[in-house]
């Protein structure tokens, strides 16, 4: 049974960084990060392969996002820096089940990140 | 970048009725990369359909997906009370990577 469990809500000031974790149980080929601003749709941030650590970031977030993993705990991390108010959103990790799946079959419960002075 | 436009923005129907949701792409989409999700308030999305027409595990057969090229449709044949939610389409292409539509809210009349 696949489960993705994310860390809890965060409140950060403008210019700060936030690091969100996603602990995976069960097989995960790739893990992706998306975000959903209040009342809005979804925005893709990037992908990490938990085995190799290889990453691909959305062009919009390159230079501000870093995805890492800890294989000993089956946990991946997404760190977003230089936070601004527009980064306030619920951040989700989601599983891509196999190479070339191109969809997300399991999602974490979401982590609310609030950027406020 | 491929932009996905969903219509209508809000659809008001009654239980037992048929729902037809549209997802139109600004350029041709690889059918294999078109997926549909359901999201209820305060919850993470749930995968319904992948590769445009394949139902995900555990999804009732009243949900079906169709389409190709730039026009895709999610159909719910007979609405159940638990189907009222927001629905999103999603695609992948090598230039814009993963993009989502803005969603269609399916509300109870």
């Amino acid at each position: 049974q696949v489960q993705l469990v994310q860390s809890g809500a965060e409140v950060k000031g403008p210019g700060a960084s936030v690091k969100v974790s996603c602990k995976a149980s069960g097989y995960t080929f790739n893990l992706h990060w998306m975000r959903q601003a209040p009342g809005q749709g979804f925005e893709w941030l990037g992908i990490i392969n938990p085995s190799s650590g290889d990453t691909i970031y959305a062009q919009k977030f390159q230079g501000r996002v870093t995805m890492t993993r800890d294989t000993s705990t089956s946990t991946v991390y997404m760190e977003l820096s230089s936070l601004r108010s527009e980064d306030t959103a619920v951040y989700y990790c989601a599983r891509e089940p196999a190479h070339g799946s191109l969809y997300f079959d399991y999602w974490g419960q979401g982590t609310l990140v609030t950027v406020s002075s | 970048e491929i932009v996905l436009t969903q219509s209508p923005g809000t659809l008001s129907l009654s239980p037992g009725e048929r729902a037809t949701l549209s997802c139109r792409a600004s350029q041709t989409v690889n059918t294999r990369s078109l997926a549909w999700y359901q999201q209820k308030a305060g919850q993470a999305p749930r995968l319904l359909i992948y590769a445009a027409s394949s139902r995900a595990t555990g999804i009732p057969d009243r949900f079906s997906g169709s389409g190709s090229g730039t026009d895709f449709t999610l159909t719910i044949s007979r609405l159940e009370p638990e189907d009222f939610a927001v629905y999103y389409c999603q695609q992948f292409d090598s230039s814009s990577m993963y993009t989502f539509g803005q969603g269609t809210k399916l509300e109870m009349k």
Side-chain angles (χ1 to χ4, degrees):
Chain A
Q1 177 72 352
V2 176
Q3 262 198 315
L4 302 175
V5 180
Q6 298 183 222
S7 50
E10 302 263 12
V11 179
K12 297 291 183 180
S17 297
V18 68
K19 193 170 187 177
V20 180
S21 68
C22 171
K23 182 174 175 60
S25 58
Y27 176 74
T28 55
F29 174 69
N30 279 331
L31 279 172
H32 295 248
W33 288 92
M34 266 74 66
R35 73 180 187 182
Q36 185 177 34
Q40 303 298 309
F42 294 91
E43 191 169 28
W44 181 79
L45 278 72
I47 176 179
I48 181 167
N49 181 290
S51 294
S52 66
D54 290 342
T55 57
I56 300 173
Y57 303 137
Q59 191 170 10
K60 174 178 177 177
F61 298 101
Q62 285 195 8
R64 274 214 305 147
V65 70
T66 305
M67 296 177 189
T68 56
R69 96 289 193 205
D70 180 343
T71 55
S72 67
T73 60
S74 300
T75 302
V76 299
Y77 300 89
M78 186 284 301
E79 183 170 20
L80 189 63
S81 61
S82 303
L83 290 170
R84 33 210 189 233
S85 58
E86 311 89 87
D87 295 318
T88 293
V90 177
Y91 288 75
Y92 293 98
C93 60
R95 184 185 88 146
E96 177 185 356
H99 177 70
S101 298
L102 307 178
Y103 60 86
F104 315 113
D105 63 347
Y106 286 92
W107 295 62
Q109 82 276 20
T111 297
L112 175 61
V113 174
T114 303
V115 183
S116 174
S117 54
Chain B
E1 174 182 323
I2 294 181
V3 176
L4 299 179
T5 302
Q6 293 186 240
S7 61
T10 302
L11 185 57
S12 298
L13 293 170
S14 300
E17 290 193 291
R18 180 185 187 91
T20 303
L21 286 67
S22 173
C23 176
R24 180 161 290 178
S26 59
Q27 303 171 44
T28 297
V29 168
N30 179 346
T31 299
R32 204 167 58 83
S33 79
L34 197 287
W36 290 92
Y37 301 86
Q38 176 194 70
Q39 187 181 35
K40 297 182 180 179
Q43 296 184 18
R46 174 193 182 197
L47 175 69
L48 299 174
I49 300 288
Y50 63 94
S53 60
S54 297
R55 260 188 309 276
T57 303
I59 301 303
D61 61 8
R62 64 180 181 272
F63 290 91
S64 63
S66 63
S68 63
T70 59
D71 289 294
F72 297 87
T73 301
L74 174 70
T75 301
I76 311 171
S77 58
R78 293 172 309 281
L79 285 166
E80 297 286 343
E82 62 267 27
D83 298 336
F84 293 93
V86 182
Y87 292 83
Y88 294 93
C89 57
Q90 167 251 305
Q91 71 86 39
F92 169 86
D93 76 281
S94 57
S95 59
S96 42
M97 301 301 280
Y98 295 86
T99 57
F100 292 80
Q102 84 282 11
T104 288
K105 181 180 181 181
L106 179 56
E107 65 176 23
M108 197 177 300
K109 186 188 284 186

